[in-house]
């Protein structure tokens, strides 16, 4: 019942998100048929290359994500001493 009101409230945020996505070349908007699609790495969007000194750190978020997937949100917040 409240979907219409929520979409009206989030209209500005959606427009800002689309603008940011196109500005950073993450999204492409086709104005002829009003569709949005993500740019893939083989198109105009290229993944950044990491310097050699940062490469070992690139695996750390994956390890943390895997570790966090095994625990509840409360356990993660207590262990990392953060508040969500």
């Amino acid at each position: 019942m409240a979907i219409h009101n929520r979409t009206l409230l989030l209209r500005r945020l959606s427009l800002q998100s689309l603008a940011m996505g196109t500005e950073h070349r993450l999204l492409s908007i086709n104005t002829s048929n009003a569709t949005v699609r993500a740019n893939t790495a083989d198109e105009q969007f290229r993944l950044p290359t990491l310097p050699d000194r940062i490469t070992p750190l690139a695996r750390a978020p994956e390890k943390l994500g895997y570790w966090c997937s095994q625990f509840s949100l409360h356990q993660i917040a207590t262990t990392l001493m953060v508040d969500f």
Side-chain angles (χ1 to χ4, degrees), residues 1-13:
M1 299 260 183
I3 291 175
H4 180 70
N5 291 336
R6 283 187 239 153
T7 56
L8 291 176
L9 289 172
L10 294 173
R11 186 186 312 185
R12 178 173 283 170
L13 178 63

Side-chain angles (χ1 to χ4, degrees), residues 2 8 17 26 28 34 40 48-51 55 59 63-65 67 77-79 82:
L8 291 176
S17 300
L26 298 172
S28 294
T40 58
T49 56
L50 297 176
T55 304
R59 291 183 202 82
K63 290 178 183 177
L64 182 63
W67 176 82
T78 303
T79 304
V82 294

Side-chain angles (χ1 to χ4, degrees), residues 9-55:
L9 289 172
L10 294 173
R11 186 186 312 185
R12 178 173 283 170
L13 178 63
S14 298
L15 181 61
Q16 290 173 344
S17 300
L18 288 171
M20 184 180 293
T22 55
E23 180 182 340
H24 294 285
R25 294 180 298 156
L26 298 172
L27 301 173
S28 294
I29 299 177
N30 186 341
T31 55
S32 64
N33 61 3
T35 57
V36 178
R37 66 184 205 93
N39 294 332
T40 58
D42 58 326
E43 294 175 357
Q44 57 184 318
F45 178 72
R46 285 183 274 138
L47 295 173
T49 56
L50 297 176
D52 291 336
R53 63 185 176 84
I54 297 178
T55 304

